[in-house]
Amino acid sequence: MQADPIRIAALNYAYGEGELLRPVLRDVALQVGVGEVLLLTGPSGSGKTTLITLIGALRSMQEGSCRVLGQELLDASEGDRVLLRQRIGFIFQNHNLLGALTARQNVAMALEVAPRFSEAERLHRAGAMLASVGLAEHADRIPAKLSGGQRQRVAIARALVGDPGLVLADEPTAALDKVSGSEVARLLRDLAKSRGVPILMVTHDPRILDIADRVVTMEDGRIVEKT
């Protein structure tokens, strides 16, 4: 039986030191299964973004266990965390596309860490990924020539083009209108499901809760509800 892509136990995290110490995550336990779409909700300041950055190896662990794609992150070296990040697709509220590059070039950049691909191969794979998110006819447009929903689709294509083992998304629909937000959320779910890739998505957007296999709520650094 394949192990859960994410398995967290007794995770604690705090900012500051001494009298300024401020606990942010308290005794967090969480598992995400293969191909599962899990939404992480809760008020601002509840610890959601801190948790997702720990899972994504974007910051060092302090206490507890956080095993992601088979890699234990407690006491992991920076080199190990870099290698893990290369196996994760990241999507953020701000699409973070480079304005001077076309959609195809933005997506192809995600493959530059894989030296096995030539530039022509990277651009070909990027074009195919853009076609899968419905942007085949827009591949050679710069971000300024795309709508907000289209730019977020480019960001999704960039996150998935390297065949990641996990997708982490932080408020990917927050800046989109209702129609675009729902389309992006369903597209992300469908693409990830077809590849068996789990998604952990932080969101405040009640419009997209129906795409989830499971919804987990955080409050004051703790997981308080699982539905």
Side-chain angles (χ1 to χ4, degrees), residues 20 26 34 129 132 141 156 160 185 195-196 209 212-213:
L20 298 178
R26 308 164 191 262
V34 176
M129 194 69 234
S132 74
R141 294 187 179 182
I156 290 173
L160 293 176
R195 290 166 168 75
L209 296 182
D213 295 312

Side-chain angles (χ1 to χ4, degrees), residues 200-221:
L200 175 57
M201 184 187 304
V202 170
T203 185
H204 285 105
D205 191 347
R207 303 169 301 182
I208 66 170
L209 296 182
D210 61 335
I211 74 162
D213 295 312
R214 189 157 49 110
V215 178
V216 172
T217 302
M218 291 190 71
E219 188 174 307
D220 295 327

Side-chain angles (χ1 to χ4, degrees), residues 6 30-33 35-42 48 51-52 167-173 181 184-186 188-189 198-218 223-227:
I6 298 175
L30 182 68
Q31 292 81 41
V32 180
E36 184 177 17
V37 178
L38 187 148
L39 299 191
L40 192 60
T41 67
K48 303 184 302 299
L51 179 58
I52 205 172
V167 172
L168 299 177
D170 193 359
E171 299 282 4
T173 65
V184 163
R186 293 184 182 281
L188 184 56
R189 174 190 168 91
I199 304 173
L200 175 57
M201 184 187 304
V202 170
T203 185
H204 285 105
D205 191 347
R207 303 169 301 182
I208 66 170
L209 296 182
D210 61 335
I211 74 162
D213 295 312
R214 189 157 49 110
V215 178
V216 172
T217 302
M218 291 190 71
I223 291 178
V224 296
E225 182 181 350
K226 299 179 182 180
T227 59

Side-chain angles (χ1 to χ4, degrees), residues 27 34-35 42 58 66 70 91 100 105-106 109 112 115 134 150 153 155 167 169 178 185 187 205 210 216:
D27 197 29
V34 176
L58 296 171
C66 182
I91 305 169
Q105 291 168 331
N106 267 286
M109 279 190 65
E112 290 186 356
Q150 289 170 338
R153 285 173 179 249
V167 172
K178 180 179 180 180
L187 174 66
D205 191 347
D210 61 335
V216 172

Side-chain angles (χ1 to χ4, degrees), residues 84-96:
L84 179 60
R85 288 197 294 267
Q86 293 174 1
R87 300 168 59 200
I88 298 173
F90 294 93
I91 305 169
F92 301 100
Q93 176 179 341
N94 298 317
H95 47 74
N96 297 325

